[in-house]
Amino acid sequence: MALKKSELYSSLWASCDALRGGMDASQYKDYVLVLLFIKYISDKYAGVPFAPITIPKGAGFKDMVSLKGKSDIGDQINKKIIAPLANANAQLSLSDFPDFNDPVKLGDGKEKVERLTNLVAIFEDKRLDFSRNRAEGDDILGDAYEYLMRHFATESGKSKGQFYTPSEVSQIMAKILGIREAKTSADTTVYDPTCGSGSLLLKVADEAGTPVSIYGQEKDAATSGLARMNMYLHNNPTALIHQGNTLADPKFKEDGILKSFDYVVANPPFSDKRWSTGIDPLNDPFERFKAFGAPPAKQGDYAYLLHIVRSLKSNGKGACILPHGVLFRGNAEADIRRALVRKGYIKGIIGLPPNLFYGTGIPACIIVIDKEGAGARKGIFMIDASKGFMKDGPKNRLRAQDIHRIVDVFTKRQDVDKYARMVPFEEIERNEFNLNLPRYIDSQEAEDIQDIAGHLQGGIPEADVEALKPYWDVCPSLRRSLFEVVREGYLSLKVEKSAIKSAIYEHPESAAFIADMNTHFNTWKMKTAASLRKLKVGCLPREVIAALAEDLLAHYTDKPLVDRYDIYQHLMDYWALTMQDDLYLIAADGWKAETYRLIEDKKDKEGKVIRSVDKGWACDLIPKSLIVARYYAKEQAEIESLTAELESLSASLEELEEEEGSEEGVFAEFEKINKPAVTLRLKEARATYKTNADVAPEIETLDKWLELTNREAELKRGLKDAEAELDALAYAQYPKLTEAEVKTLVVEDKWLAALEAAIHGEMDHISQSLTQRVKELSERYETPMPQLTARVDELEAKVNKHLEKMGFSWK
């Protein structure tokens, strides 16, 4: 059975994090990711002639496994594994690897041996066969690497997480460059002057669609080593990654001048105060600051941007992540900004939400540079995307819909109210070349204004009702059903406040709209089901979901009241949660619904398995619930009936015990209410009945308790037997399933049913939003000021009257 992506990611992270101990995540990541790299290249390239990387004999992962438990394991890994690998491959160096014999980071003696032994054991898992787990175009291992990087960045703290650019931001930058639409080839060059672990570079290369030439430079030695490994893990072994300070010592040069590239992307350190170390900005040999001016000595943002500008070909395109300060700060930066705008190099600015990046919580922006057509450019396209994100632990994170919206709007240059517009140079010049986004895009939500006349005289302002025009456009007579005019400019509610919801939900036009939207989804559902059924072994999951998502997005274009990006998000959420794993199973094994046993290993304190417990069975592709719903609905109904009866009886038993548990109740003196205690007390009560008839009610209560308890036990046994029988029937059904039945269960009963439920919830949200707003307006203005004043006077009079009766007078 194919290994699920989610299992690979979560098991690696959980295991690695458990072994970290007190080591800083930013350091521990080096050991984990190097082991992942060695495991991968050993599986993929060991013994393969003309492979892009050489695995010397005795320096593979199996050789590392043989070192487990040895007292000098750390030293042996350095000498027998790392050193031969670095010596055999010119693109690797010893500085790329951490010291596996470092007592400060790994502990000393037994602690180091156990930590390294257990760490190696994680990657020894037989399921992690990296020679066979990559479907063409779907880099499972590379994605696992990125997953680990994101988690390490999250755990590394504010000052140490800068090695990783969030994947979502990288996706945006890759897409807005337009590299997918360009005619790319191996001669197309992509460069990142501050490449970190290389994630941004890889996103751009992946977006190209064809192999391109990758170049990167990273100041930190360990991080540049990770970047080189990352290139291998993502099947880009020819990428050139150099270590060094890009500003002081750029490594990519031709005839003494900076090499120029087709595409340049970067996420440089924000406001680098030491950028000018080793540089004379006024005599820069690469002339990066000659045409635009030197950046401030303690503010390096424009130094990196100007390096990008200088590194681009005459028709090159670039994108750089920078803090918002570059848009409005004055003095030298204002002069550089003015020169860049006048040159026409800045094609666009995209404002991002705050707290996205691991090195800082401040909001950032993407500056898009395009030299092609710069002289004819008439303005700068600006997007304020600061409001679109989700919370993800301590950080914010862009959703799939946020990414798609940004890319769509930027690519099509769409003017969107409160979100995006093309700003002409004349307007920018009037603002003295200040590019701060709020000067050009008012993204603030309209204030919900209180109407004084409405509060004084009553009545809902007609302007507030008119603001709900999108609803009235769809349901024009619904407005007349809900409101009537009380005086000019003001309305009152025609229905009772408690009936607002039913008046909206049951209105013929509302019902017709929901029915039309359901039909609209069903049209897409039928078409999509047919295409999904055609999937075969070797299909490319990423291409499948990309096509599916784009089709759904297009299907809901221009539909009223719904945001098509919200619909799109439902699909992408389900993809991440369930469908992605399913498609990888199908791509590897086809339409096979294989069951497997759930074995839980019980371990001792040293982590050794002492016994295994069978926890039942499961099937990833088709859960048991789907089999039961389609083939054994009658048996499931019987179980539900037994469950309902048991719950009712248990409630009656609990109620009886509560009633008779008071001071004078039958169970008042019971230490514990159970069958032996009740049976004994009943025997005693019956023995005294002839001489004491007063115990008759007690006997009746005890008999009732026993009757309920016996019936409860009987129902539990019956329920257990029924569930076991149904479990056996469902388990036996899997081998009988035909491929056509498997497709029906997965496509219709699982995937599309889940998506349909989510989208129907979206439709319900529309009606709920209208109901909530109408109710809010009615409650706001239902009691005008004169009535409130009269009610206050009435209550005051009552209070005064009571005070007088009590002998008090305060007037």
Side-chain angles (χ1 to χ4, degrees):
M1 179 181 291
L3 180 64
K4 295 196 296 182
K5 265 194 169 190
S6 59
E7 278 186 13
L8 173 63
Y9 300 169
S10 59
S11 64
L12 282 177
W13 172 251
S15 300
C16 295
D17 193 46
L19 294 176
R20 174 156 61 98
M23 197 189 312
D24 189 278
S26 64
Q27 296 176 327
Y28 189 60
K29 76 175 190 307
D30 299 340
Y31 293 95
V32 173
L33 297 175
V34 163
L35 273 174
L36 183 65
F37 171 71
I38 293 174
K39 167 64 174 168
Y40 170 71
I41 60 173
S42 299
D43 286 354
K44 192 76 176 175
Y45 299 124
V48 177
F50 309 111
I53 192 164
T54 301
I55 315 296
K57 188 175 181 179
F61 181 76
K62 289 181 181 178
D63 304 291
M64 187 182 286
V65 170
S66 69
L67 300 174
K68 288 195 311 177
K70 293 189 175 181
S71 60
D72 60 347
I73 179 175
D75 185 52
Q76 291 297 309
I77 289 176
N78 284 342
K79 291 178 179 178
K80 292 186 176 181
I81 310 296
I82 303 299
L85 271 176
N87 292 332
N89 296 277
Q91 63 272 48
L92 298 176
S93 67
L94 284 174
S95 63
D96 293 343
F97 299 89
D99 180 2
F100 278 82
N101 203 35
D102 188 338
V104 176
K105 295 177 181 176
L106 297 168
D108 214 343
K110 185 179 178 182
E111 181 186 1
K112 184 201 298 177
V113 172
E114 288 185 354
R115 177 173 284 177
L116 288 176
T117 295
N118 291 332
L119 194 56
V120 171
I122 292 172
F123 297 93
E124 200 179 356
D125 190 326
K126 292 180 180 179
R127 298 174 302 166
L128 302 180
D129 184 354
F130 296 144
S131 66
R132 296 183 291 132
N133 83 332
R134 176 189 283 147
E136 185 67 28
D138 285 292
D139 198 349
I140 297 176
L141 182 65
D143 289 348
Y145 184 94
E146 186 164 296
Y147 178 91
L148 291 173
M149 290 293 273
R150 178 190 291 276
H151 278 70
F152 280 126
T154 302
E155 297 287 323
S156 292
K158 185 174 180 180
S159 63
K160 300 175 183 176
Q162 296 184 22
F163 55 81
Y164 177 73
T165 301
S167 172
E168 298 78 19
V169 179
S170 297
Q171 288 179 51
I172 291 172
M173 296 174 74
K175 291 178 182 296
I176 61 176
L177 287 176
I179 193 170
R180 170 76 64 170
E181 295 73 29
K183 293 181 179 179
T184 57
S185 68
D187 294 329
T188 302
T189 53
V190 180
Y191 167 58
D192 184 342
T194 58
C195 69
S197 61
S199 57
L200 177 52
L201 262 177
L202 287 166
K203 278 291 184 294
V204 178
D206 186 56
E207 182 66 20
T210 64
V212 295
S213 296
I214 298 175
Y215 301 82
Q217 184 166 340
E218 168 55 37
K219 185 177 182 179
D220 183 80
T223 305
S224 68
L226 291 179
R228 273 186 284 275
M229 296 176 203
N230 203 2
M231 296 299 146
Y232 280 101
L233 294 175
H234 282 84
N235 206 27
N236 287 283
T238 60
L240 292 178
I241 306 295
H242 289 321
Q243 188 269 323
N245 184 329
T246 294
L247 295 181
D249 182 22
K251 299 297 184 182
F252 297 104
K253 295 170 285 194
E254 292 178 339
D255 299 324
I257 63 173
L258 290 182
K259 177 178 174 61
S260 57
F261 303 90
D262 297 298
Y263 299 93
V264 181
V265 289
N267 178 16
F270 286 2
S271 303
D272 186 355
K273 297 185 184 305
R274 295 185 294 274
W275 74 269
S276 59
T277 302
I279 304 172
D280 180 358
L282 299 179
N283 294 290
D284 176 35
F286 307 106
E287 299 185 339
R288 290 168 289 190
F289 317 121
K290 182 177 181 181
F292 301 98
K298 300 296 184 181
Q299 206 78 270
D301 298 312
Y302 273 108
Y304 291 100
L305 187 61
L306 293 179
H307 176 86
I308 290 173
V309 170
R310 186 67 175 171
S311 299
L312 282 170
K313 292 181 179 179
S314 59
N315 61 346
K317 296 167 174 55
C320 184
I321 301 167
L322 292 171
H324 271 273
V326 300
L327 303 177
F328 55 79
R329 290 193 296 247
N331 301 319
E333 291 187 310
D335 295 335
I336 297 171
R337 187 168 56 244
R338 183 185 301 108
L340 283 169
V341 171
R342 285 178 170 166
K343 194 75 173 178
Y345 283 168
I346 301 179
K347 182 179 183 179
I349 300 170
I350 301 170
L352 298 171
N355 203 27
L356 286 182
F357 297 91
Y358 295 97
T360 178
I362 66 172
C365 61
I366 300 173
I367 306 292
V368 184
I369 302 294
D370 191 350
K371 286 188 174 180
E372 186 175 15
R377 195 158 283 134
K378 301 297 182 184
I380 298 175
F381 190 74
M382 298 186 184
I383 296 178
D384 183 351
S386 58
K387 302 289 194 299
F389 63 90
M390 61 176 278
K391 293 295 295 180
D392 184 20
K395 308 301 291 182
N396 293 332
R397 188 172 178 181
L398 294 169
R399 300 164 294 180
Q401 70 180 84
D402 303 318
I403 298 168
H404 212 302
R405 193 190 303 269
I406 290 170
V407 174
D408 282 351
V409 170
F410 187 87
T411 303
K412 298 170 185 175
R413 305 292 187 275
Q414 296 174 326
D415 276 9
V416 180
D417 187 41
K418 296 185 176 297
Y419 187 76
R421 61 180 287 242
M422 175 62 77
V423 181
F425 286 144
E426 292 82 1
E427 186 176 350
I428 293 171
E429 189 167 359
R430 287 198 301 272
N431 280 283
E432 298 179 336
F433 295 91
N434 185 315
L435 300 178
N436 200 20
L437 292 174
R439 285 183 175 247
Y440 307 100
I441 301 171
D442 180 10
S443 61
Q444 297 299 314
E445 294 296 325
E447 186 179 354
D448 190 10
I449 299 173
Q450 301 280 339
D451 188 279
I452 296 176
H455 283 299
L456 291 174
Q457 302 171 24
I460 300 169
E462 190 171 10
D464 284 337
V465 175
E466 185 59 30
L468 299 170
K469 187 176 182 297
Y471 293 97
W472 314 138
D473 288 343
V474 174
C475 307
S477 66
L478 176 59
R479 174 176 174 169
R480 295 191 294 273
S481 299
L482 292 171
F483 302 101
E484 61 184 355
V485 177
V486 291
R487 66 180 188 280
E488 186 177 352
Y490 293 87
L491 311 172
S492 66
L493 200 60
K494 288 175 69 173
V495 300
E496 293 293 326
K497 191 166 60 175
S498 59
I500 293 173
K501 182 176 180 179
S502 59
I504 291 173
Y505 277 72
E506 296 170 10
H507 191 277
E509 290 174 345
S510 293
F513 170 70
I514 297 297
D516 177 66
M517 294 302 288
N518 290 343
T519 301
H520 188 70
F521 176 78
N522 287 333
T523 301
W524 182 83
K525 176 182 173 181
M526 291 176 64
K527 177 184 68 172
T528 302
S531 66
L532 290 174
R533 282 172 167 272
K534 295 177 183 177
L535 296 175
K536 298 178 181 179
V537 172
C539 67
L540 305 179
R542 284 183 182 175
E543 291 186 7
V544 173
I545 187 58
L548 200 65
E550 291 304 316
D551 188 53
L552 182 64
L553 197 63
H555 190 68
Y556 278 88
T557 299
D558 298 328
K559 296 302 290 184
L561 296 182
V562 298
D563 185 334
R564 68 191 187 115
Y565 291 102
D566 288 339
I567 302 294
Y568 166 84
Q569 187 65 43
H570 285 301
L571 173 58
M572 299 312 294
D573 286 344
Y574 185 65
W575 165 257
L577 182 68
T578 300
M579 196 174 174
Q580 175 179 218
D581 283 333
D582 289 349
L583 265 176
Y584 273 92
L585 291 176
I586 292 167
D589 301 327
W591 296 91
K592 295 179 182 179
E594 297 179 344
T595 56
Y596 59 92
R597 305 307 299 182
L598 297 168
I599 305 299
E600 181 181 315
D601 291 331
K602 300 293 183 180
K603 299 180 180 180
D604 59 18
K605 292 181 179 180
E606 296 181 356
K608 295 181 180 178
V609 177
I610 53 177
R611 71 177 186 278
S612 297
V613 180
D614 190 335
K615 306 290 286 186
W617 58 274
C619 177
D620 291 324
L621 192 60
I622 303 178
K624 173 184 167 183
S625 59
L626 296 180
I627 293 288
V628 169
R630 182 165 282 273
Y631 297 102
Y632 301 106
K634 180 181 176 183
E635 289 81 356
Q636 180 63 32
E638 291 173 357
I639 287 175
E640 290 171 358
S641 177
L642 283 173
T643 302
E645 185 180 351
L646 177 60
E647 289 175 351
S648 175
L649 190 143
S650 298
S652 298
L653 190 60
E654 185 179 344
E655 184 180 350
L656 178 63
E657 291 176 354
E658 189 175 336
E659 286 178 358
E660 296 295 337
S662 58
E663 282 187 18
E664 298 183 6
V666 172
F667 301 122
E669 297 181 4
F670 277 60
E671 287 186 15
K672 191 174 184 180
I673 306 172
N674 54 30
K675 197 169 184 178
V678 172
T679 302
L680 177 63
R681 179 58 194 144
L682 181 60
K683 184 178 180 180
E684 293 172 350
R686 282 177 174 158
T688 61
Y689 177 70
K690 290 182 180 179
T691 57
N692 183 10
D694 290 340
V695 299
E698 182 181 358
I699 292 172
E700 183 181 348
T701 297
L702 294 172
D703 275 333
K704 184 178 180 182
W705 187 92
L706 283 172
E707 180 186 349
L708 289 172
T709 301
N710 289 333
R711 177 57 180 157
E712 183 184 47
E714 182 183 338
L715 282 172
K716 285 181 178 179
R717 286 193 299 271
L719 184 59
K720 184 179 179 180
D721 291 342
E723 288 176 337
E725 183 180 348
L726 178 58
D727 187 72
L729 287 170
Y731 185 71
Q733 185 66 38
Y734 283 90
K736 303 175 186 176
L737 295 173
T738 65
E739 185 174 288
E741 288 175 319
V742 172
K743 289 180 177 180
T744 297
L745 285 160
V746 174
V747 175
E748 277 95 344
D749 295 5
K750 187 180 183 182
W751 294 347
L752 295 178
L755 186 58
E756 184 171 15
I759 293 177
H760 282 179
E762 197 69 36
M763 297 303 105
D764 190 50
H765 177 69
I766 292 170
S767 298
Q768 288 178 4
S769 297
L770 179 59
T771 300
Q772 183 178 346
R773 182 57 176 168
V774 171
K775 185 178 180 182
E776 181 182 29
L777 290 173
S778 68
E779 290 177 343
R780 181 180 294 174
Y781 299 106
E782 66 182 343
T783 309
M785 184 63 71
Q787 288 184 24
L788 287 173
T789 303
R791 180 61 176 156
V792 169
D793 291 344
E794 180 185 340
L795 292 173
E796 184 181 4
K798 284 185 177 181
V799 171
N800 289 337
K801 193 172 182 180
H802 284 299
L803 288 171
E804 288 174 6
K805 285 182 179 180
M806 296 168 66
F808 295 99
S809 177
W810 56 277
K811 289 189 177 181

